[in-house]
Amino acid sequence: MKEDQRPLQQRNKSPTSKLFTRGAAYVVLVLLSYTLGYLSHTSPPQQQQLQPPSPVFQLADSPSQLDNFRVTAPCANSPLPPHLVFPTILDRVFNGSSPYSNFPPPYLSSFLKQKRIKGWGSYGAVFQHLIKRVKPQVIIEVGTFLGASALHMVNVTRELRLQTQILCLDDFRGWPGFRDRFKDIKMINGDVLLFQQFMQNVIYFNATGSVLPVPFSTASGLEKLCEWGITADLIEIDAGHDFISAWGDINRAYRILRPGGVIFGHDYFTMADNRGVRRAVNLFAQMNNLKIQTDGQHWVLDTSLAKHN
């Protein structure tokens, strides 16, 4: 038998010691991997920990973040002249005839009051201030209810001897539960008679030649006005008071505002603060380099005073 020629140290290493050495190395490797994984999971990068959420007004620096809020419906290539505004509405909305003709029908007469006027901020000085300054040929009111502010604007334009046409855009459905406060507004087979009472009010004040309803939701109505080429010198926004509604109305209305015109609205100072109308107005003004003015409870954006960078 041939003698083992390996060095003495190598000959003394047993299989058990080899197994122990490899096992210990494996255990160390597992523990090290686990430790590194635990530390990386419990200690996020410092930049993520310290970076605060972006304020709402910084969205103006990142337009892509507002893509879902942008209005992209097509508009007419050129605006209609003011004298064609009412004929266009009569043709496209009322089949060519006035909605005031033979109104009210006999079956409705007993359900309507001779006049029923109610509004909020409808008689503020802002109306006279702006109408006197702008001298509008066309006014569009977004959110009308019973027509208090529209009829007040009729009186102002008459005092100033202006030939002004006023379009009142509203679905005339009120809001869920509004009849809890207006029980005298009747309902027939689930149809609340808000639109009919508005028309009765216009007739009572002999304003049928100055005021024409556009009985659709603000979103669909404003998009159609833009598509038909109808624009205005002065636009009042006073419909939904949440941020999304106000933001949509302002953006759509701005597209049909004549160059140098004024857009304004109510409810700038409310408890909603930066969660409602004020937030929408402030963000829109910042994105479009417009200066916000206030007049009583109303906000005003005068495009003739736009800031130029």
Side-chain angles (χ1 to χ4, degrees), residues 107-240:
Y107 79 95
L108 278 181
S109 298
S110 62
F111 294 96
L112 302 176
K113 293 182 177 295
Q114 189 176 24
K115 67 171 181 175
R116 176 66 166 94
I117 305 295
K118 172 62 182 176
W120 296 266
S122 300
Y123 304 99
V126 64
F127 295 99
Q128 185 164 14
H129 294 163
L130 292 179
I131 291 173
K132 187 174 182 179
R133 188 168 88 215
V134 177
K135 296 180 174 56
Q137 293 180 283
V138 178
I139 297 174
I140 294 176
E141 180 178 66
V142 182
T144 291
F145 197 50
L146 290 167
S149 57
L151 292 169
H152 175 61
M153 287 191 284
V154 169
N155 289 333
V156 173
T157 58
R158 286 173 176 173
E159 291 173 2
L160 296 173
R161 300 182 182 279
L162 299 175
Q163 300 296 319
T164 304
Q165 303 172 82
I166 302 176
L167 297 179
C168 293
L169 176 60
D170 198 306
D171 61 7
F172 294 100
R173 296 295 305 170
W175 58 90
F178 92 94
R179 291 191 69 252
D180 294 339
R181 296 177 58 186
F182 297 90
K183 292 182 173 60
D184 59 324
I185 305 296
K186 304 301 182 182
M187 180 182 289
I188 300 177
N189 297 114
D191 181 23
V192 64
L193 302 183
L194 191 58
F195 177 52
Q196 293 83 351
Q197 185 61 61
F198 161 80
M199 290 178 56
Q200 176 61 38
N201 293 338
V202 174
I203 291 173
Y204 179 84
F205 285 96
N206 194 28
T208 58
S210 303
V211 176
L212 199 57
V214 184
F216 301 108
S217 70
T218 59
S220 61
L222 286 169
E223 289 187 3
K224 279 301 177 182
L225 294 180
C226 198
E227 180 183 322
W228 297 337
I230 293 176
T231 59
D233 311 289
L234 185 62
I235 302 179
E236 180 196 8
I237 306 292
D238 192 14

Side-chain angles (χ1 to χ4, degrees), residues 35-50:
T35 302
L36 290 175
Y38 175 80
L39 291 176
S40 65
H41 176 72
T42 56
S43 300
Q46 187 175 12
Q47 183 178 5
Q48 293 183 11
Q49 288 181 322
L50 299 180

Side-chain angles (χ1 to χ4, degrees), residues 73-112:
C75 291
N77 293 327
S78 58
L80 286 175
H83 71 274
L84 293 181
V85 169
F86 268 30
T88 299
I89 295 297
L90 290 174
D91 179 55
R92 292 183 176 269
V93 179
F94 298 108
N95 199 28
S97 61
S98 172
Y100 301 112
S101 297
N102 301 314
F103 186 88
Y107 79 95
L108 278 181
S109 298
S110 62
F111 294 96
L112 302 176

